[in-house]
Amino acid sequence: MTSLKIFSLIGLLLYFALLLWAVTKEKKNHTVLDYFFAGRSLPFWALSITFIASWWGAGSAISTADLAYTDGLGAFWYYGVPVLLSTFLMMLCAAGIRRVGYLTQGRMMEARYSKTVARFLSLLVLIFMVFNAAAQMVGVGDFFGSYLGLPYEIAVLAGTGIVLVYSMFGGFRGVVLTDIIQFVLLLLSALVVFGVGFSNAGGLEGIRAAAQAAGKPDYLSMWAGAPKYSMYVITFGCAWMIQANVWQRISAARSDSDARKMTIMSFFAYIPLYLIVVLTGMAGIALYPKLPEGGVVIALVMDYMSPFLGAVVFIGISAAIMSTMDSLINTASMTLVLDLLPHEPDEDKQLARSRMTTLGVTAVALVIALGVRSILQISWMASDIITTGVFVPLVLGFFWRRGNSRGALASIVTGFVYCAYNLAIGFGLPLPSFWKPQSAQQVILGVTLSLVVYVVVSLITPPETEKADAFLEQAGFRKHK
């Protein structure tokens, strides 16, 4: 084994030991409120860090850098713009979500519409979370495999196993604590890789010269990526704005004010963090004639860093992937326990169930990751489900008083059928397609169809004004009469 692999393996073991120590030293979970919301006792800055860590994951650390190698500054539109759009929308809605008093999206939709609507919506949320967790498992498999020379399957099992152990026993409080540790490690690693790559590339002038030589005149233009990545801005932006693990953090805030502060702090942190990733990828064009095998980040570590410094970066990027994965697994388990499974009044049994569902969710996501080895493909499938099936009834439920349970249910079913049809085409079934697959047109048509069905069905069926008024008044979006 090379010195880099030895240092990296030692660092991984120490990192795992640190996470276990942090989780075991934390307060024990006595109730489900503790396990999934840390008893609503955490400060806003801690929730903000775990919010940042949950979205700054495998796609940010690896995929965006590699896209930036090809597309330049315009690659910021791939992850950076959707995240900023989603976070900005959350800034506007955070206080209302926290104020409404229901801890999960399923509970909120039951109060706003009906139990049937809540069940269908929660099922789609669960699917979204499991698929996104699988995408992070693909990320850890590819990264560990490239870095340590491990087979993909072994790499996925190793990374997922680490996350599973501390997630099962630490719950949400453990996730937040480990996310803080992981964020510090990732930030340090990202700065190191950026500094090494940028300096060796000769700064912006070196990157500009290399881009001109490669025939890329728009390489340093932020707007050049807008047309190419518009479908991701729409799909990811809508999907992430309603992502249940973010709403979980809002619900876990101590107060309405803390919920808003969390999103504001996160919004302004995302801008430099995503620019660092993009500029790191762009530095690669001045250093490599073609995209290196394994990606720009790994190539920079292998070619320009000492084994010790390379091991530090390895731990930091591993932390990025794991901090996203643990968040998704915890929220998927929360959705199962609180929104889909029958209520268990005994707290001890409910806690045991929560740990078992954490294990079950991880197992299902692992099967997906072993079968579909593409972060982008899995992320798209997950986002398409939640955007076309959930976005309209969930968001408009907070703003449109006339929307009712029949309209919401029809919208969810329509969106899911539309998404399932597109997935069938994507998997090769010879079905007619009237739009370009995985395009902005496909997403816009899906959301529009869901919206039209929601509005039309709500208008032609009896209103539910009493239930709607009670919910909107509680959320603070309608004044009490």
Side-chain angles (χ1 to χ4, degrees), residues 4 13 17 28 89 103 106 120 162 192 197 228 313 318 348 352 364 377 383 391 414 422 434 462:
L4 175 60
L13 291 173
K28 291 184 178 180
L89 293 174
L103 294 173
F120 272 93
I162 291 173
V192 168
K228 179 176 181 179
V313 173
S318 300
D348 291 336
V364 174
Q377 184 179 353
S383 298
F391 182 81
T414 301
N422 291 323
F434 306 101

Side-chain angles (χ1 to χ4, degrees), residues 180-264:
I180 292 173
I181 297 171
Q182 290 163 334
F183 175 76
V184 172
L185 291 171
L186 172 60
L187 182 59
L188 175 63
S189 300
L191 290 173
V192 168
V193 177
F194 166 71
V196 169
F198 207 65
S199 60
N200 281 282
L204 278 178
E205 287 306 313
I207 293 172
R208 191 192 308 275
Q212 289 175 349
K216 296 177 181 288
D218 296 326
Y219 201 70
L220 269 69
S221 169
M222 175 74 75
W223 296 104
K228 179 176 181 179
Y229 295 108
S230 59
M231 64 176 180
Y232 296 109
V233 173
I234 298 169
T235 305
F236 289 172
C238 292
W240 294 344
M241 185 261 177
I242 58 173
Q243 196 162 314
N245 58 332
V246 178
W247 287 45
Q248 179 187 17
R249 282 149 178 75
I250 291 172
S251 295
R254 290 173 173 173
S255 65
D256 304 345
S257 175
D258 271 11
R260 186 183 289 110
K261 288 178 184 177
M262 180 199 79
T263 55
I264 293 172

Side-chain angles (χ1 to χ4, degrees), residues 100-397:
V100 79
Y102 301 99
L103 294 173
T104 67
Q105 291 175 334
R107 298 280 179 87
M108 293 176 194
M109 292 301 96
E110 183 175 347
R112 176 63 177 85
Y113 299 118
S114 68
K115 183 172 287 188
T116 303
V117 170
R119 289 295 179 89
F120 272 93
L121 182 138
S122 297
L123 181 60
L124 296 189
V125 168
L126 176 63
I127 294 171
F128 173 77
M129 289 294 150
V130 171
F131 269 74
N132 260 344
Q136 300 307 312
M137 292 175 188
V138 173
V140 81
D142 288 340
F143 183 63
F144 278 20
S146 300
Y147 218 102
L148 301 176
L150 297 173
Y152 173 77
E153 292 78 9
I154 300 298
V156 171
L157 289 170
T160 303
I162 291 173
V163 173
L164 176 62
V165 170
Y166 72 76
S167 296
M168 274 188 69
F169 297 102
F172 182 67
R173 185 179 279 109
V175 166
V176 172
L177 182 61
T178 53
D179 277 357
I180 292 173
I181 297 171
Q182 290 163 334
F183 175 76
V184 172
L185 291 171
L186 172 60
L187 182 59
L188 175 63
S189 300
L191 290 173
V192 168
V193 177
F194 166 71
V196 169
F198 207 65
S199 60
N200 281 282
L204 278 178
E205 287 306 313
I207 293 172
R208 191 192 308 275
Q212 289 175 349
K216 296 177 181 288
D218 296 326
Y219 201 70
L220 269 69
S221 169
M222 175 74 75
W223 296 104
K228 179 176 181 179
Y229 295 108
S230 59
M231 64 176 180
Y232 296 109
V233 173
I234 298 169
T235 305
F236 289 172
C238 292
W240 294 344
M241 185 261 177
I242 58 173
Q243 196 162 314
N245 58 332
V246 178
W247 287 45
Q248 179 187 17
R249 282 149 178 75
I250 291 172
S251 295
R254 290 173 173 173
S255 65
D256 304 345
S257 175
D258 271 11
R260 186 183 289 110
K261 288 178 184 177
M262 180 199 79
T263 55
I264 293 172
M265 177 178 170
S266 301
F267 179 86
F268 287 105
Y270 280 132
I271 298 172
L273 292 177
Y274 278 98
L275 280 175
I276 287 172
V277 174
V278 170
L279 290 171
T280 299
M282 291 171 62
I285 198 172
L287 302 174
Y288 302 102
K290 63 179 182 178
L291 182 65
E293 185 177 352
V296 174
V297 173
I298 293 176
L300 288 172
V301 172
M302 299 289 189
D303 298 336
Y304 291 94
M305 295 186 191
S306 67
F308 176 78
L309 201 57
V312 172
V313 173
F314 168 76
I315 298 303
I317 297 177
S318 300
I321 301 171
M322 293 179 189
S323 63
T324 303
M325 192 194 308
D326 62 24
S327 171
L328 295 165
I329 290 171
N330 183 264
T331 307
S333 175
M334 177 195 72
T335 302
L336 255 177
V337 172
L338 298 183
D339 293 337
L340 291 171
L341 294 178
H343 176 65
E344 171 56 64
D346 186 286
E347 284 288 357
D348 291 336
K349 291 181 180 179
Q350 188 83 317
L351 272 174
R353 176 187 285 181
S354 300
R355 293 191 173 97
M356 290 307 298
T357 54
T358 299
L359 177 62
V361 163
T362 304
V364 174
L366 188 59
V367 171
I368 297 171
L370 292 173
V372 185
R373 294 179 54 174
S374 169
I375 295 176
L376 193 57
Q377 184 179 353
I378 296 175
S379 296
W380 173 270
M381 288 189 291
S383 298
D384 199 25
I385 289 170
I386 203 100
T387 302
T388 56
V390 173
F391 182 81
V392 168
L394 180 61
V395 174
L396 289 191

